[in-house]
Amino acid sequence: MSDLSSKIAATRKEVEHLKDVISKAKYAADDTTLDEVAKETGAASKKAIKPRRLLRGHFGKIYAMQWSDDKKHLVSASQDGKLIVWNADTQNKVHAIPLRSSWVMTCAFSPGGTLVASGGLDNLCSIYQISQVDAGARPMRELSAHTGYLSCCRFLSDEQILTSSGDMACILWDLQTGSIIKRFDDHTGDVMSVSVSGVDKNVFLSGGCDSTSKLWDIRTGRCLKTFVGHTSDINAVHFFPNGNAFATASDDSTCKLFDIRAYKDLKTYNAGTNSGVTSVDFSLSGKFMFTGYDDFNCAVWDTIKGERIDTLTGHENRISSVGVTKDGMGICTGSWDSTLKVWA
């Protein structure tokens, strides 16, 4: 027994030594900081972002929204028990899908624009084929394996979807068979959000109530890196457009920008409020970052300088979701006031 204890102590000592070696190597390669780079860039001018469309139709709190890749349609999920597909240009409801459970927390649009998904406290991910919802609105597929609420879902393609859950796991599903392709376990708290890279479809991010965000390899199911720094739940994660960095939104009232290659946080964004940050997204170039707050506002940040350059106001309750169109020309905010606003 004493021999085993000595081996454990020696292993721990070796691990600490290796951590020190890695830290020194990272420090030696750390030739500059984001603040130094920011000094060489011009200040971002305040953009005349104004509300252009108001989407009314829900009668309960809106918990999630996502744009279609066609840049014109979006889907929203509300606790009125409806999943609505909108034409943001005309402000018309294209489809209103009644859900089996009104306790919905997430929704998603497939890349091909033919499928929408939702999930929540029913622990299921329900997939709907848009062309068939008016004929009865029964799910094309119900994905059942999570033992906790479904917090987020994101399509990788029209054949695969990724889900995260309060059971501390993420699952990659095959939509044709409804079977599990891969399960991802490493969080020690509820997983609240996932983000799929637009550059490398073999990796994704997750963020959870253990205050960590993790980078995963979809092919192996392994957690490649764990990022720490927040002091409360992480509500949302989102990849930077080039895939080399990502942002996190947390209940500790801050957002952070992490560099994947440097394995560190580059910038902390604090709006000077005690409100939690619910959602985050980037402009097409990544120059601007948009964050939704519990205090009913959406902040617009200069990503490099870390300065807030504008605040989008007008909602009458918590902003639950923020999304930028694929071409970067529009922003949508969804709120507990039961409305969505499209800004440009």
Side-chain angles (χ1 to χ4, degrees):
M1 188 68 180
S2 60
D3 184 50
L4 178 62
S5 298
S6 62
K7 286 182 178 179
I8 291 173
T11 302
R12 285 176 175 166
K13 187 175 180 179
E14 183 180 1
V15 168
E16 291 304 317
H17 171 69
L18 290 173
K19 284 182 178 179
D20 187 52
V21 170
I22 292 170
S23 295
K24 288 178 179 177
K26 285 172 63 178
Y27 182 79
D30 196 4
D31 57 347
T32 188
T33 66
L34 187 62
D35 289 336
E36 290 297 321
V37 173
K39 291 177 182 178
E40 302 172 7
T41 63
S45 58
K46 182 175 179 178
K47 301 297 179 183
I49 302 175
K50 297 179 181 179
R52 309 293 180 176
R53 300 286 189 275
L54 176 63
L55 307 182
R56 292 183 180 273
H58 282 298
F59 297 98
K61 296 175 180 177
I62 293 173
Y63 265 73
M65 61 75 49
Q66 191 183 31
W67 287 98
S68 168
D69 282 359
D70 69 7
K71 303 159 287 191
K72 182 171 68 173
H73 294 92
L74 63 92
V75 62
S76 60
S78 167
Q79 291 199 343
D80 61 4
K82 292 289 194 301
L83 200 64
I84 296 181
V85 177
W86 304 84
N87 183 319
D89 287 345
T90 64
Q91 299 175 259
N92 292 333
K93 287 184 283 186
V94 181
H95 302 285
I97 305 169
L99 304 175
R100 295 192 182 187
S101 170
S102 62
W103 304 106
V104 64
M105 298 179 68
T106 183
C107 62
F109 229 125
S110 70
T114 59
L115 305 174
V116 290
S118 69
L121 297 188
D122 58 1
N123 300 0
L124 301 172
C125 182
S126 300
I127 313 296
Y128 295 88
Q129 194 158 1
I130 294 177
S131 62
Q132 297 179 2
V133 294
D134 294 328
R138 291 184 62 83
M140 178 192 86
R141 185 78 64 188
E142 287 185 332
L143 308 175
S144 174
H146 284 296
T147 57
Y149 60 86
L150 202 80
S151 57
C152 189
C153 59
R154 289 292 179 263
F155 285 93
L156 270 70
S157 67
D158 286 5
E159 290 78 38
Q160 295 180 349
I161 193 169
L162 184 68
T163 58
S164 64
S165 170
D167 64 8
M168 302 187 290
C170 300
I171 295 178
L172 179 64
W173 302 84
D174 183 319
L175 294 180
Q176 297 300 317
T177 63
S179 60
I180 296 174
I181 298 173
K182 196 84 68 178
R183 184 181 173 98
F184 307 87
D185 293 286
D186 200 49
H187 278 284
T188 56
D190 301 10
V191 188
M192 298 305 296
S193 177
V194 291
S195 178
V196 180
S197 172
V199 178
D200 183 358
K201 295 298 183 182
N202 291 316
V203 295
F204 76 92
L205 292 165
S206 64
C209 293
D210 55 7
S211 305
T212 69
S213 48
K214 294 177 182 287
L215 180 72
W216 301 85
D217 188 320
I218 290 176
R219 295 160 296 185
T220 64
R222 292 181 55 195
C223 174
L224 301 176
K225 296 178 180 180
T226 298
F227 298 83
V228 299
H230 282 294
T231 57
S232 191
D233 301 356
I234 293 175
N235 295 316
V237 291
H238 199 87
F239 268 104
F240 193 76
N242 68 5
N244 292 326
F246 66 93
T248 54
S250 171
D251 273 344
D252 64 12
S253 304
T254 69
C255 288
K256 288 182 179 290
L257 181 69
F258 290 91
D259 188 293
I260 293 173
R261 296 166 300 179
Y263 204 176
K264 61 183 290 188
D265 64 297
L266 302 177
K267 181 73 69 174
T268 298
Y269 306 81
N270 193 327
T273 175
N274 291 325
S275 299
V277 195
T278 63
S279 44
V280 62
D281 204 348
F282 290 100
S283 64
L284 184 62
S285 66
K287 185 174 180 60
F288 302 103
M289 184 175 74
F290 306 92
T291 54
Y293 289 83
D294 285 340
D295 66 1
F296 316 169
N297 296 320
C298 176
V300 184
W301 300 89
D302 180 323
T303 307
I304 302 298
K305 291 185 175 293
E307 299 171 352
R308 183 169 58 172
I309 60 173
D310 201 357
T311 302
L312 309 183
T313 61
H315 280 294
E316 298 175 358
N317 208 326
R318 174 187 189 184
I319 291 180
S320 57
S321 52
V322 173
V324 178
T325 56
K326 194 166 186 178
D327 61 359
M329 299 301 291
I331 310 152
C332 183
T333 52
S335 170
W336 281 14
D337 66 9
S338 76
T339 69
L340 299 115
K341 290 179 183 287
V342 179
W343 311 73

